[in-house]
Amino acid sequence: MPTTNLQQGLEILYSREQIAARVEEIGAQISSDLKGEKIVLIGVLKGAAIFLSDLARAIDVDATFDFVAVSSYGKGQRSSGAVKLIKDLDESIEGKNVLLVEDILDTGLTLAFLRKLFMQHHPKSLRIAALLDKPSRRIEKIDADYVGFSIPNLFVIGYGMDYAERYRNLADICLMQPDHPE
Ligand code: IMP
């Protein structure tokens, strides 16, 4: 497969094949855990959009989608710390099995905020799927029920994840070097 222009000079951390294989495994696990149940997949925009679309097709359970958006990293690699809901759920989650789908579990601030918010709506169950987990960065105590890959403190891009809104459309998960030209 030839290197694309967008991907030129970027180091691949997980290839599209590795991601696809892991997403299939997570999907199978979720299907077995929620066998016979209905589920609502809630994606956190925008980073989780690609993961959710692949994961949804790997889950053999009656599923609907919803999306929320929260304030995020902005233009750089640093978090502002504060989490704010920018786009709320479209449908009530009361009494439903919720799977919160996120690209990266980093400090945990975003998912801790969303979990607390969603629990106030009394779902039947609430699980978290995170494609990547950076446990060493955690500020809020929170774990995902399903994790694609656990990684050290690296800044990654691709497969939905951005640097200043770019690179989301890379098919592989790549490393963003601190000195990479913008
Ligand atoms: P948390 O609230 O610190 O857990 O941050 C979660 C969000 O930060 C993720 O959904 C991403 O949008 C963003 N983020 C954290 N690490 C990275 C990264 O390495 N690359 C791109 N975005 C990241």
Side-chain angles (χ1 to χ4, degrees):
M1 170 97 38
T3 313
T4 61
N5 287 334
L6 182 62
Q7 198 153 319
Q8 209 143 37
L10 292 170
E11 192 185 327
I12 295 177
L13 183 62
Y14 293 108
S15 69
R16 60 200 78 186
E17 293 82 11
Q18 288 173 303
I19 300 167
R22 189 69 189 116
V23 169
E24 282 299 324
E25 285 174 4
I26 298 174
Q29 183 66 54
I30 294 168
S31 307
S32 127
D33 292 351
L34 286 150
K35 202 171 175 184
E37 298 275 342
K38 287 184 181 169
I39 183 172
V40 48
L41 306 181
I42 302 180
V44 186
L45 295 172
K46 305 170 195 164
I50 292 179
F51 177 41
L52 184 143
S53 67
D54 283 346
L55 183 64
R57 286 174 287 179
I59 296 176
D60 187 18
V61 167
D62 189 349
T64 58
F65 296 177
D66 208 338
F67 292 93
V68 290
V70 294
S71 59
S72 69
Y73 269 43
K75 287 194 182 345
Q77 295 188 5
R78 275 189 319 270
S79 168
S80 67
V83 182
K84 199 174 96 189
L85 195 68
I86 294 168
K87 186 220 164 290
D88 206 342
L89 294 168
D90 292 337
E91 302 286 339
S92 165
I93 54 167
E94 192 176 333
K96 296 183 182 167
N97 293 303
V98 168
L99 181 67
L100 188 47
V101 181
E102 175 66 308
D103 54 355
I104 308 186
L105 180 48
D106 186 27
T107 63
L109 289 165
T110 306
L111 285 175
F113 169 84
L114 289 173
R115 182 177 62 178
K116 190 171 167 206
L117 187 72
F118 292 167
M119 288 311 284
Q120 291 167 3
H121 294 280
H122 306 292
K124 182 175 177 187
S125 66
L126 194 156
R127 293 175 171 82
I128 295 173
L131 178 63
L132 299 178
D133 186 9
K134 296 188 203 173
S136 68
R137 295 259 308 155
R138 207 73 93 246
I139 293 172
E140 287 282 343
K141 196 182 160 349
I142 185 161
D143 289 315
D145 302 274
Y146 309 99
V147 171
F149 305 100
S150 192
I151 61 169
N153 183 18
L154 301 167
F155 198 85
V156 295
I157 48 178
Y159 197 73
M161 293 166 284
D162 75 311
Y163 175 72
E165 292 299 328
R166 296 174 58 213
Y167 303 107
R168 292 193 196 274
N169 59 322
L170 288 175
D172 307 300
I173 297 176
C174 297
L175 285 177
M176 180 85 208
Q177 306 296 352
D179 56 355
H180 189 80
E182 285 184 29

